[in-house]
Amino acid sequence: MGSGGGKSEYRGRKTKIPRHIAIIMDGNGRWAQSRNLPRHAGHRAGVESVRVAVEECAKQGVEVLTLFAFSSENWNRPKKEVGLLFDLFMMALQRDVKRMKKNNVRLRIIGDRTAFPDKLQKRIHIAEEETANNTGLLLQIAANYGGRWDITQAARSVAEKVKSGELQPEDITEATLSAELSFAGLPEPDLFIRTGGEQRISNFILWQSAYSELYFTERLWPDFDAAEFDRALKEFSQRERRFGQTSEQIKEQQK
Ligand code: IPE
Ligand code: IPE
Ligand code: MG
C-alpha cells in the first residue's frame, strides 16, 4: 500500500466513520492526582476507558484502533511507575484476552518489544496468538513505540534490501518505506485523538498521520467515556478532508 492508500480507500466509503482511529491516552496521572490518589490508580482507571473505546469501535464498525500505551520516552519516568505500568499491562493482557475472543477482536502489539521483560514478551505472544484468527476490530497497542523508532526501523529494513541487491536505491518510493512500517497494509489513521489537554504528538505516529484529522480534548483519559467518543466521531464526520484538493473538487466527487 502506498502512502495514499488510506486516502483513496476512505473516499470509497459512504458513511463517515473512520476506518482507523489512533489515540494518545493521556491524563491518567493528573486524573489520579486530582483525587489524591497515586499515579498508578489513574493508569488502572485508564484500562476501563480502553475497554469502552474498544467496545465503541466494534459497535461503530471501525476497523483499526491504535492506542498509545507506552512511548519510547516513557522509560524516562521513575522506575517504580514504569514497573507498575508493565504489571498493569500484564494483568490487562491476561484478563482481557477472553473478552477479546468473545468480541472477535484481534490484538497486535506494535513497538520494540525486545526491551520488555521476558514474561511480558511471552504473554504478548500468547495474547496475539489466541486472537490471531479473529476477524473483527484490529486492536493495536503501541508499547515502547515511537514514530521516529518506526521510521528508523523501516529505513534499516530498506537498507538491508539494498545491501542484498534485492532493491536499487532509485527504486525506493514512499510505498517502499510504508511497506516496512508498523502499520504496513492497514489504512492510515483517519482520526487522531489526544486526551488530557496537550496539543502535541509526543512522538506517536508521524509518517502515517500525514493526513489524519486531529482531535484534542481536555478530558483526561479515565474520563473519556462512550459519550466523549461519540463527540469525537461526530466532529470527525463534520470535517472536510481535502487531501490537497479544493473544496469544490471534493464536493464534485461526492455527487
Ligand atoms: C498517559 O497518562 C499514560 C502513559 C503515558 C503511560 P500520563 O501518565 O501521562 O498522565 P499525565 O499526563 O501525567 O496526567
Ligand atoms: C504520551 O503521553 C505517551 C502516552 C500516552 C503513552 P506523555 O504524557 O508521555 O507525553 P508528554 O511527555 O506529555 O509529551
Ligand atoms: Mg502525560
XYZ file of all heavy atoms in Angstrom, residues 18-101:
673
model
N -14.591 6.716 10.706
C -13.178 6.466 10.392
C -12.883 4.975 10.330
O -13.429 4.204 11.110
C -12.422 7.108 11.566
C -13.434 7.529 12.573
C -14.791 7.415 11.969
N -12.048 4.585 9.386
C -11.651 3.172 9.328
C -10.628 2.884 10.410
O -10.572 1.791 10.938
C -11.030 2.857 7.951
C -11.997 2.967 6.811
C -11.324 2.565 5.514
N -10.997 1.137 5.520
C -10.290 0.537 4.571
N -9.831 1.227 3.544
N -10.035 -0.743 4.636
N -9.807 3.894 10.678
C -8.717 3.693 11.638
C -8.675 4.892 12.596
O -8.619 6.033 12.156
C -7.404 3.562 10.855
C -6.201 3.234 11.695
N -5.011 2.838 11.143
C -5.989 3.270 13.043
C -4.121 2.620 12.110
N -4.693 2.887 13.272
N -8.721 4.615 13.886
C -8.610 5.668 14.901
C -7.351 5.420 15.724
O -7.083 4.282 16.127
C -9.840 5.676 15.846
C -11.130 5.908 15.049
C -9.687 6.742 16.933
C -12.396 5.919 15.911
N -6.579 6.466 15.944
C -5.386 6.362 16.796
C -5.574 7.307 17.981
O -6.047 8.433 17.802
C -4.141 6.738 15.994
N -5.232 6.839 19.168
C -5.461 7.673 20.361
C -4.227 7.759 21.257
O -3.627 6.731 21.603
C -6.635 7.133 21.227
C -7.903 6.919 20.385
C -6.930 8.087 22.385
C -9.118 6.418 21.181
N -3.873 8.987 21.628
C -2.885 9.182 22.699
C -3.698 9.288 23.984
O -4.413 10.267 24.216
C -2.050 10.468 22.488
C -1.262 10.390 21.174
C -1.097 10.670 23.679
C -0.349 11.588 20.917
N -3.595 8.249 24.785
C -4.408 8.173 26.009
C -3.652 8.911 27.115
O -2.877 8.315 27.842
C -4.593 6.706 26.405
C -5.031 5.797 25.260
S -5.272 4.084 25.803
C -3.597 3.525 26.024
N -3.892 10.200 27.224
C -3.096 10.990 28.166
C -3.970 11.553 29.286
O -5.164 11.807 29.095
C -2.400 12.134 27.410
C -1.272 12.746 28.233
O -0.763 12.072 29.154
O -0.902 13.897 27.952
N -3.352 11.744 30.454
C -4.040 12.396 31.572
C -4.328 11.485 32.754
O -4.991 11.902 33.708
N -3.800 10.258 32.713
C -4.043 9.322 33.825
C -3.479 9.850 35.143
O -4.123 9.762 36.186
C -3.379 7.965 33.551
C -4.007 7.247 32.383
O -5.051 7.644 31.891
N -3.352 6.189 31.919
N -2.259 10.374 35.072
C -1.588 10.849 36.286
C -2.352 12.007 36.910
O -2.601 12.020 38.131
N -2.760 12.954 36.073
C -3.496 14.119 36.598
C -4.857 13.709 37.147
O -5.330 14.250 38.131
C -3.658 15.185 35.496
C -2.404 16.035 35.343
C -2.407 16.784 34.045
N -2.096 15.888 32.927
C -2.332 16.171 31.653
N -2.932 17.298 31.335
N -1.987 15.329 30.709
N -5.474 12.733 36.509
C -6.772 12.233 36.993
C -6.610 11.711 38.426
O -7.409 12.013 39.300
C -7.254 11.114 36.064
C -8.604 10.546 36.396
C -9.812 10.964 35.902
C -8.886 9.450 37.291
N -10.826 10.190 36.423
C -10.287 9.269 37.280
C -8.097 8.616 38.083
C -10.918 8.275 38.035
C -8.718 7.634 38.846
C -10.121 7.476 38.813
N -5.544 10.948 38.655
C -5.304 10.382 39.983
C -4.931 11.482 40.981
O -5.474 11.533 42.099
C -4.192 9.339 39.903
N -4.023 12.359 40.546
C -3.559 13.404 41.458
C -4.708 14.298 41.924
O -4.758 14.698 43.083
C -2.447 14.228 40.810
C -1.083 13.571 41.009
C -0.057 13.925 39.934
O -0.358 14.642 38.975
N 1.155 13.411 40.089
N -5.656 14.548 41.041
C -6.777 15.422 41.431
C -7.692 14.728 42.452
O -8.531 15.360 43.074
C -7.588 15.829 40.196
O -8.296 14.708 39.716
N -7.503 13.432 42.611
C -8.275 12.694 43.617
C -7.412 12.273 44.796
O -7.788 11.386 45.560
C -8.876 11.432 42.969
C -10.040 11.735 42.074
C -10.358 10.551 41.158
N -11.534 10.851 40.368
C -11.547 11.658 39.322
N -10.433 12.243 38.943
N -12.665 11.892 38.663
N -6.223 12.868 44.863
C -5.268 12.495 45.907
C -4.905 11.016 45.889
O -4.698 10.399 46.932
C -5.799 12.864 47.294
C -5.575 14.339 47.565
O -4.537 14.892 47.180
N -6.558 14.978 48.176
N -4.869 10.456 44.719
C -4.511 9.038 44.576
C -3.128 8.936 43.937
O -2.671 9.876 43.275
C -5.545 8.333 43.671
C -6.978 8.238 44.200
C -7.928 7.777 43.098
C -7.044 7.283 45.392
N -2.442 7.813 44.109
C -1.153 7.641 43.427
C -1.367 7.548 41.913
O -2.443 7.124 41.461
C -0.628 6.320 43.989
C -1.815 5.617 44.544
C -2.809 6.655 44.939
N -0.349 7.903 41.130
C -0.487 7.939 39.669
C -0.969 6.607 39.085
O -1.743 6.579 38.137
C 0.848 8.321 39.021
C 1.288 9.750 39.293
C 2.642 10.017 38.625
N 2.587 9.762 37.197
C 2.178 10.636 36.279
N 1.821 11.843 36.658
N 2.145 10.328 35.018
N -0.509 5.505 39.688
C -0.889 4.217 39.069
C -2.397 3.954 39.169
O -2.949 3.197 38.384
C -0.057 3.059 39.628
C -0.371 2.672 41.030
N 0.388 3.071 42.109
C -1.376 1.926 41.537
C -0.132 2.575 43.214
N -1.205 1.881 42.905
N -3.063 4.613 40.142
C -4.533 4.475 40.219
C -5.162 5.064 38.956
O -6.189 4.575 38.463
C -5.066 5.167 41.466
N -4.542 6.090 38.431
C -5.018 6.693 37.178
C -4.814 5.749 36.004
O -5.668 5.619 35.125
N -3.673 5.077 36.000
C -3.420 4.120 34.907
C -4.439 2.979 34.975
O -4.933 2.514 33.959
C -2.001 3.562 34.997
C -0.933 4.608 34.823
N -1.002 5.575 33.849
C 0.225 4.857 35.506
C 0.070 6.355 33.927
N 0.819 5.950 34.935
N -4.727 2.562 36.215
C -5.699 1.477 36.371
C -7.080 1.919 35.862
O -7.758 1.187 35.151
C -5.776 1.039 37.831
C -5.732 -0.465 37.939
C -5.834 -1.016 39.355
N -4.879 -0.440 40.275
C -5.203 0.123 41.447
N -6.460 0.212 41.826
N -4.269 0.611 42.236
N -7.461 3.137 36.219
C -8.756 3.660 35.757
C -8.759 3.777 34.225
O -9.798 3.606 33.577
C -9.029 5.012 36.402
N -7.582 4.045 33.663
C -7.474 4.187 32.209
C -7.769 2.894 31.470
O -8.241 2.911 30.333
N -7.506 1.770 32.108
C -7.774 0.481 31.460
C -9.274 0.338 31.168
O -9.670 -0.192 30.132
C -7.270 -0.708 32.329
C -7.659 -2.038 31.716
C -5.760 -0.624 32.507
N -10.085 0.856 32.062
C -11.538 0.801 31.853
C -11.924 1.603 30.601
O -12.767 1.182 29.803
C -12.261 1.346 33.105
C -13.735 1.051 33.166
C -14.120 -0.394 32.763
O -13.524 -1.377 33.250
O -15.024 -0.504 31.926
N -11.281 2.764 30.414
C -11.558 3.560 29.215
C -11.128 2.829 27.946
O -11.732 3.016 26.880
C -10.826 4.906 29.275
O -11.356 5.688 30.314
N -10.090 2.015 28.059
C -9.664 1.224 26.894
C -10.791 0.272 26.507
O -11.153 0.141 25.327
C -8.367 0.424 27.195
C -8.071 -0.572 26.077
C -7.180 1.367 27.383
N -11.381 -0.358 27.522
C -12.484 -1.299 27.238
C -13.629 -0.579 26.532
O -14.208 -1.098 25.579
C -12.980 -1.940 28.531
C -11.924 -2.811 29.163
C -12.457 -3.649 30.310
N -11.348 -4.431 30.864
C -10.893 -4.328 32.109
N -11.474 -3.508 32.959
N -9.862 -5.042 32.508
N -13.948 0.610 27.028
C -15.043 1.383 26.435
C -14.714 1.726 24.977
O -15.543 1.543 24.079
C -15.309 2.682 27.246
C -16.288 3.591 26.516
C -15.818 2.345 28.637
N -13.493 2.189 24.744
C -13.101 2.583 23.384
C -13.171 1.389 22.427
O -13.658 1.514 21.298
C -11.692 3.183 23.393
N -12.709 0.231 22.898
C -12.737 -0.974 22.058
C -14.186 -1.334 21.713
O -14.530 -1.601 20.559
C -12.037 -2.163 22.769
C -12.283 -3.479 22.037
C -10.544 -1.892 22.885
N -15.029 -1.290 22.727
C -16.440 -1.621 22.518
C -17.097 -0.664 21.519
O -17.823 -1.083 20.616
C -17.181 -1.483 23.842
C -17.913 -2.728 24.283
C -18.245 -2.633 25.757
O -19.116 -1.820 26.120
O -17.593 -3.352 26.547
N -16.836 0.633 21.693
C -17.427 1.638 20.806
C -16.955 1.444 19.366
O -17.749 1.545 18.433
C -17.072 3.053 21.276
C -17.844 3.506 22.495
C -19.359 3.407 22.313
O -19.894 4.076 21.410
O -19.997 2.643 23.051
N -15.679 1.177 19.205
C -15.136 0.987 17.853
C -15.781 -0.221 17.190
O -16.158 -0.178 16.018
C -13.619 0.805 17.900
S -12.751 2.342 18.126
N -15.906 -1.302 17.962
C -16.506 -2.514 17.414
C -17.952 -2.219 17.003
O -18.405 -2.619 15.928
C -16.440 -3.635 18.436
N -18.633 -1.484 17.857
C -20.044 -1.182 17.603
C -20.226 -0.312 16.361
O -21.145 -0.496 15.577
C -20.593 -0.449 18.839
C -22.069 -0.620 19.057
C -22.469 -0.394 20.492
C -22.532 1.091 20.833
N -22.743 1.325 22.279
N -19.315 0.645 16.177
C -19.453 1.607 15.071
C -18.857 1.099 13.755
O -18.914 1.789 12.749
C -18.745 2.924 15.433
C -19.222 3.557 16.723
C -20.440 4.434 16.524
O -20.914 4.606 15.390
N -20.955 4.995 17.599
N -18.207 -0.038 13.813
C -17.633 -0.573 12.578
C -16.278 0.017 12.207
O -15.877 -0.009 11.041
N -15.570 0.535 13.203
C -14.197 0.988 12.963
C -13.351 -0.265 12.754
O -13.552 -1.272 13.434
C -13.689 1.804 14.192
C -12.225 2.156 14.060
C -14.544 3.052 14.381
N -12.420 -0.216 11.803
C -11.651 -1.434 11.518
C -10.405 -1.581 12.379
O -10.030 -2.684 12.756
C -11.229 -1.445 10.042
C -12.397 -1.583 9.090
C -12.008 -1.237 7.674
O -10.951 -1.687 7.210
O -12.768 -0.490 7.025
N -9.752 -0.450 12.642
C -8.500 -0.500 13.403
C -8.507 0.566 14.495
O -8.874 1.719 14.238
C -7.265 -0.242 12.492
C -5.965 -0.505 13.252
C -7.315 -1.071 11.224
N -8.110 0.168 15.692
C -7.941 1.122 16.798
C -6.509 0.982 17.295
O -6.089 -0.114 17.678
C -8.928 0.819 17.926
C -8.755 1.629 19.223
C -9.021 3.114 18.975
C -9.686 1.116 20.326
N -5.759 2.081 17.241
C -4.371 2.037 17.708
C -4.236 2.923 18.937
O -4.539 4.117 18.887
C -3.404 2.513 16.597
O -3.592 1.700 15.447
C -1.952 2.412 17.044
N -3.831 2.336 20.043
C -3.750 3.061 21.317
C -2.305 3.199 21.766
O -1.556 2.206 21.787
C -4.551 2.308 22.390
C -6.038 2.102 22.119
C -6.651 1.210 23.199
C -6.769 3.445 22.058
N -1.935 4.416 22.137
C -0.566 4.668 22.605
C -0.539 4.377 24.104
O -1.127 5.103 24.905
C -0.216 6.134 22.346
C 1.253 6.421 22.216
C 2.193 5.407 22.091
C 1.709 7.738 22.179
C 3.555 5.697 21.942
C 3.053 8.040 22.035
C 3.977 7.026 21.922
N 0.131 3.306 24.480
C 0.144 2.895 25.888
C 1.451 3.238 26.578
O 1.476 3.501 27.783
C -0.096 1.394 25.981
N 2.552 3.221 25.813
C 3.857 3.482 26.428
C 4.804 3.952 25.329
O 5.034 3.240 24.359
C 4.372 2.186 27.079
C 5.583 2.381 27.944
C 5.448 2.790 29.272
C 6.865 2.167 27.443
C 6.573 2.971 30.075
C 7.990 2.343 28.243
C 7.841 2.751 29.560
N 5.324 5.160 25.490
C 6.186 5.703 24.435
C 7.645 5.342 24.685
O 8.035 4.993 25.808
C 6.040 7.227 24.364
O 6.735 7.849 25.432
N 8.441 5.462 23.628
C 9.889 5.214 23.747
C 10.466 6.089 24.848
O 11.449 5.729 25.497
C 10.602 5.565 22.439
O 9.917 5.095 21.316
N 9.861 7.252 25.055
C 10.385 8.225 26.032
C 9.858 7.981 27.445
O 10.378 8.549 28.405
C 10.011 9.652 25.592
C 10.762 10.130 24.349
C 10.293 9.473 23.057
O 9.117 9.052 22.981
O 11.123 9.325 22.129
N 8.816 7.146 27.571
C 8.261 6.898 28.912
C 9.212 6.099 29.816
O 9.023 6.033 31.032
C 6.893 6.208 28.846
C 5.774 7.138 28.394
O 4.852 6.733 27.693
N 5.838 8.404 28.793
N 10.285 5.545 29.216
C 11.317 4.892 30.041
C 11.949 5.897 30.995
O 12.539 5.518 31.995
C 12.434 4.302 29.164
C 12.008 3.116 28.351
C 11.775 3.100 27.011
C 11.790 1.771 28.807
N 11.416 1.840 26.610
C 11.430 0.999 27.687
C 11.867 1.145 30.058
C 11.134 -0.353 27.770
C 11.580 -0.212 30.141
C 11.219 -0.944 29.007
N 11.856 7.167 30.653
C 12.468 8.203 31.494
C 11.669 8.492 32.756
O 12.061 9.333 33.552
C 12.629 9.506 30.692
C 13.569 9.313 29.510
O 14.555 8.593 29.619
N 13.244 9.929 28.386
N 10.546 7.835 32.931
C 9.750 8.040 34.156
C 10.399 7.296 35.326
O 11.235 6.413 35.112
C 8.326 7.527 33.936
C 7.599 8.373 32.926
C 6.130 8.125 32.952
N 5.490 9.014 32.001
C 4.206 9.262 31.956
N 3.390 8.667 32.800
N 3.714 10.090 31.069
N 9.970 7.629 36.555
C 10.523 6.902 37.695
C 10.361 5.391 37.488
O 9.329 4.937 36.983
C 9.678 7.388 38.874
C 9.131 8.706 38.444
C 8.987 8.649 36.952
N 11.397 4.654 37.880
C 11.436 3.195 37.692
C 10.178 2.521 38.226
O 9.636 1.590 37.629
C 12.644 2.631 38.446
C 13.674 2.017 37.551
C 14.647 1.211 38.383
C 15.374 0.245 37.490
N 16.783 0.205 37.731
N 9.726 3.008 39.370
C 8.576 2.389 40.016
C 7.319 2.516 39.141
O 6.555 1.560 38.995
C 8.352 3.066 41.380
C 7.380 2.313 42.248
C 7.291 2.878 43.646
C 5.966 2.456 44.262
N 5.456 3.443 45.212
N 7.132 3.694 38.545
C 5.952 3.883 37.691
C 6.044 2.982 36.457
O 5.046 2.366 36.053
C 5.793 5.356 37.268
C 4.560 5.545 36.379
C 4.160 7.008 36.151
O 4.631 7.879 36.908
O 3.375 7.250 35.219
N 7.243 2.881 35.879
C 7.418 2.022 34.697
C 7.085 0.573 35.066
O 6.340 -0.112 34.357
C 8.864 2.134 34.140
C 9.104 1.111 33.032
C 9.127 3.540 33.617
N 7.575 0.132 36.216
C 7.309 -1.234 36.678
C 5.825 -1.474 36.873
O 5.291 -2.503 36.443
N 5.157 -0.513 37.487
C 3.714 -0.666 37.732
C 2.931 -0.676 36.421
O 1.947 -1.398 36.275
C 3.209 0.455 38.648
C 3.612 0.294 40.123
C 3.354 1.573 40.906
C 2.865 -0.875 40.767
N 3.399 0.112 35.451
C 2.733 0.114 34.138
C 2.855 -1.256 33.471
O 1.887 -1.769 32.897
C 3.338 1.192 33.236
C 2.771 2.601 33.410
C 3.639 3.624 32.700
C 1.331 2.685 32.871
N 4.046 -1.871 33.583
C 4.229 -3.199 33.000
C 3.347 -4.229 33.711
O 2.749 -5.092 33.070
C 5.698 -3.632 33.060
C 6.559 -2.935 32.046
C 7.937 -2.933 32.159
C 5.998 -2.277 30.961
C 8.735 -2.290 31.220
C 6.780 -1.632 30.017
C 8.166 -1.643 30.153
N 3.273 -4.122 35.048
C 2.415 -5.057 35.795
C 0.971 -4.952 35.318
O 0.276 -5.950 35.129
C 2.456 -4.744 37.304
C 3.810 -5.086 37.907
O 4.593 -5.775 37.228
O 4.076 -4.646 39.045
N 0.547 -3.719 35.123
C -0.830 -3.468 34.703
C -1.084 -4.019 33.296
O -2.127 -4.621 33.015
C -1.081 -1.954 34.729
C -2.516 -1.493 34.565
C -3.363 -1.991 35.726
C -2.574 0.037 34.520
N -0.102 -3.838 32.432
C -0.174 -4.305 31.058
C -0.318 -5.832 31.060
O -1.179 -6.409 30.383
C 1.112 -3.872 30.346
C 1.092 -4.028 28.851
C -0.107 -4.092 28.137
C 2.282 -4.090 28.133
C -0.109 -4.223 26.758
C 2.293 -4.234 26.758
C 1.102 -4.305 26.076
N 0.494 -6.458 31.882
C 0.492 -7.913 32.030
C -0.900 -8.389 32.485
O -1.471 -9.317 31.921
C 1.549 -8.197 33.103
C 1.986 -9.581 33.284
S 3.102 -10.133 32.011
C 3.160 -11.818 32.533
N -1.412 -7.706 33.501
C -2.697 -8.096 34.072
C -3.830 -7.922 33.057
O -4.686 -8.786 32.896
C -3.002 -7.210 35.282
C -3.157 -7.991 36.563
S -2.999 -6.907 37.970
C -4.086 -5.554 37.588
N -3.798 -6.780 32.362
C -4.851 -6.490 31.386
C -4.816 -7.527 30.262
O -5.861 -7.983 29.791
C -4.687 -5.080 30.836
N -3.603 -7.907 29.844
C -3.481 -8.909 28.775
C -4.084 -10.230 29.223
O -4.842 -10.864 28.491
C -2.010 -9.128 28.413
C -1.359 -8.092 27.511
C 0.121 -8.416 27.338
C -2.027 -8.042 26.146
N -3.754 -10.600 30.467
C -4.247 -11.859 30.994
C -5.774 -11.848 31.084
O -6.449 -12.778 30.698
C -3.669 -12.110 32.384
C -2.759 -13.287 32.441
C -1.706 -13.132 33.534
O -1.617 -12.102 34.202
N -0.905 -14.135 33.717
N -6.262 -10.733 31.621
C -7.683 -10.669 31.919
C -8.552 -10.450 30.676
O -9.667 -10.940 30.596
C -7.929 -9.544 32.927
C -9.085 -9.910 33.840
C -9.465 -8.803 34.778
N -8.366 -8.432 35.652
C -8.204 -7.192 36.122
N -9.015 -6.233 35.767
N -7.219 -6.911 36.933
N -8.048 -9.682 29.718
C -8.922 -9.257 28.627
C -8.900 -10.132 27.380
O -9.700 -9.915 26.470
C -8.637 -7.804 28.266
C -9.263 -6.864 29.296
O -9.424 -7.296 30.449
O -9.617 -5.730 28.943
N -7.995 -11.103 27.339
C -7.933 -11.940 26.140
C -9.257 -12.670 25.918
O -9.760 -12.742 24.794
C -6.744 -12.930 26.198
C -6.880 -14.008 25.150
C -5.440 -12.181 25.974
N -9.837 -13.141 27.006
C -11.120 -13.851 26.899
C -12.175 -12.939 26.273
O -12.905 -13.345 25.370
C -11.575 -14.271 28.300
C -11.796 -15.766 28.407
C -12.510 -16.118 29.702
C -11.688 -17.144 30.469
N -11.824 -17.029 31.910
N -12.221 -11.725 26.792
C -13.177 -10.745 26.304
C -12.940 -10.447 24.813
O -13.875 -10.331 24.023
C -13.002 -9.450 27.116
C -14.093 -8.419 26.917
C -13.675 -7.092 27.484
N -13.458 -7.137 28.932
C -14.233 -6.517 29.814
N -15.243 -5.796 29.405
N -13.983 -6.592 31.099
N -11.675 -10.355 24.428
C -11.351 -10.081 23.026
C -11.803 -11.233 22.130
O -12.321 -11.024 21.038
C -9.849 -9.862 22.862
C -9.378 -8.527 23.406
S -7.631 -8.296 23.096
C -7.034 -7.943 24.714
N -11.599 -12.450 22.630
C -12.016 -13.611 21.843
C -13.520 -13.572 21.627
O -14.017 -13.796 20.531
C -11.635 -14.902 22.566
C -10.189 -15.296 22.341
C -9.808 -16.323 23.354
C -9.238 -17.580 22.828
N -8.779 -18.425 23.954
